[in-house]
Amino acid sequence: MLAVQDVRLDPTSRQVWRGDREIRLSRKEFQLLHALMARPGDIVTRGELMADVWQTSFYTNSKTIDVHLGWLRRKLGDDPRNPTLITTHRGRGLRFEPVAGSVVS
């Protein structure tokens, strides 16, 4: 079981909760969240995410990660304009913040 902030992820049962509420995710949304939650506080590059989640070593100008990230943030209730769970670090990657309000670029 992974637990970061108020999000819990069970890789065995493939279940996710935010607080007491279970969140239903697609397979790719779950894999994306798992890849980020497994490294809380670390910036995970888009290349690493493409390899871990989509099993490919390349990406072009595809918005695949952005689209899935948008869906994931919406389901988790993470405001894309002021995210507290998954933050974007331009030119570097994405980070699952270990503590709410701890965003430092």
Side-chain angles (χ1 to χ4, degrees):
M1 179 77 75
L2 298 175
V4 183
Q5 292 194 48
D6 65 344
V7 178
R8 291 176 294 131
L9 180 146
D10 184 341
T12 305
S13 67
R14 297 186 35 86
Q15 291 178 287
V16 174
W17 299 266
R18 174 118 197 237
D20 293 333
R21 181 174 60 100
E22 185 174 356
I23 309 291
R24 295 253 183 229
L25 300 178
S26 72
R27 176 175 291 148
K28 291 299 181 194
E29 291 164 349
F30 182 89
Q31 290 172 326
L32 178 58
L33 181 61
H34 186 254
L36 294 168
M37 285 185 70
R39 296 172 53 187
D42 292 344
I43 293 176
V44 183
T45 69
R46 289 175 175 271
E48 290 170 326
L49 291 171
M50 289 303 292
D52 291 348
V53 178
W54 284 272
Q55 285 76 48
T56 184
S57 61
F58 68 92
Y59 73 98
T60 58
N61 62 356
S62 168
K63 296 292 183 183
T64 300
I65 293 174
D66 296 327
V67 169
H68 284 83
L69 178 61
W71 292 335
L72 182 56
R73 280 182 173 149
R74 190 172 311 119
K75 289 180 179 182
L76 291 172
D78 196 20
D79 180 0
R81 290 182 230 175
N82 188 27
T84 59
L85 295 175
I86 303 169
T87 56
T88 301
H89 298 266
R90 286 206 180 273
R92 297 173 66 202
L94 302 171
R95 175 168 62 195
F96 200 99
E97 297 297 334
V99 179
S102 66
V103 180
V104 177
S105 288

